[in-house]
Amino acid sequence: ESKIFLYQGALHKGRGIKAMIQLLEDFPDSYAVILGDGPHKKELQSFSEKMNLEKRIHFLGRVPYMKMLELTMNADIGFSLIRPISQSYEQALPNKIFEYALANVPVIASNLPEMESFINKYNLGLTVPYNDRGKQKWAVNKLLYKFNGTDIQKRAEKYLVWEEQRDIFIKSL
């Protein structure tokens, strides 16, 4: 019955992990799983305790890639709420979006140009402002209760794997 919010990747500032944690306040039957490690981990753990949510947040650290994919398949929503603190972040199209899609997990991501275009093109989830909790809450509700994304994995396997992207990439050179 519980819903699982997932973040996977490096634990750095500007990755929207705190925003995902804060959303747990609005969804009392939800838990967060955080896969990865990094310099921001202790701060995130302290933040979780300060919010009195530490019992609903599981920091699993780094896990082998195949184990990560197995864990990802158990999530209900994957998060990628990147704050555009650099040009690299602003133009980001993180691997986690592909991994969520291949695991049939819809994503909530920042409405930055590359992520928004890509997620909308393949109907992988929803994009919202990285700093708008109201719209993030709306997106969680929509994905949990109104989104028919059961074919995300099929679209990902058809369009988003290297074998399909290789020719597109070569033509762009």
Side-chain angles (χ1 to χ4, degrees), residues 15-161:
R15 300 288 179 101
I17 305 165
K18 282 185 177 179
M20 180 186 73
I21 290 170
Q22 288 175 316
L23 284 166
L24 291 175
E25 288 185 316
D26 299 312
F27 299 92
D29 294 330
S30 295
Y31 291 80
V33 173
I34 299 172
L35 301 175
D37 206 352
H40 200 46
K41 183 176 183 175
K42 288 189 188 306
E43 183 178 333
L44 291 167
Q45 290 171 321
S46 295
F47 182 73
S48 300
E49 292 168 9
K50 181 180 174 187
M51 302 274 306
N52 201 28
L53 294 167
E54 69 275 9
K55 291 181 181 174
R56 294 175 47 211
I57 301 170
H58 304 280
F59 289 87
L60 301 185
R62 289 185 176 130
V63 296
Y65 189 75
M66 295 309 290
K67 179 71 172 171
M68 180 192 70
L69 293 176
E70 181 183 320
L71 292 168
T72 300
M73 287 190 273
N74 292 301
D76 293 287
I77 300 174
F79 283 80
S80 187
L81 293 171
I82 293 177
R83 185 172 38 140
I85 57 177
S86 69
Q87 188 172 8
S88 173
Y89 276 24
E90 189 172 326
Q91 298 299 317
L93 185 56
N95 287 341
K96 66 178 73 29
I97 292 174
F98 295 86
E99 293 157 351
Y100 295 153
L102 287 168
N104 206 42
V105 175
V107 64
I108 294 176
S110 301
N111 61 347
L112 299 174
E114 295 301 320
M115 287 192 288
E116 184 167 54
S117 172
F118 191 80
I119 289 167
N120 289 341
K121 179 177 181 176
Y122 296 105
N123 192 26
L124 303 177
L126 298 168
T127 59
V128 295
Y130 73 92
N131 59 352
D132 188 331
R133 185 168 169 182
K135 288 193 176 166
Q136 293 165 8
K137 182 179 174 181
W138 166 84
V140 169
N141 273 312
K142 184 160 183 163
L143 291 182
L144 288 180
Y145 305 111
K146 298 176 185 167
F147 184 72
N148 184 9
T150 56
D151 58 347
I152 291 173
Q153 184 177 23
K154 289 177 187 170
R155 284 192 304 279
E157 289 171 348
K158 184 174 181 179
Y159 300 111
L160 307 181
V161 295

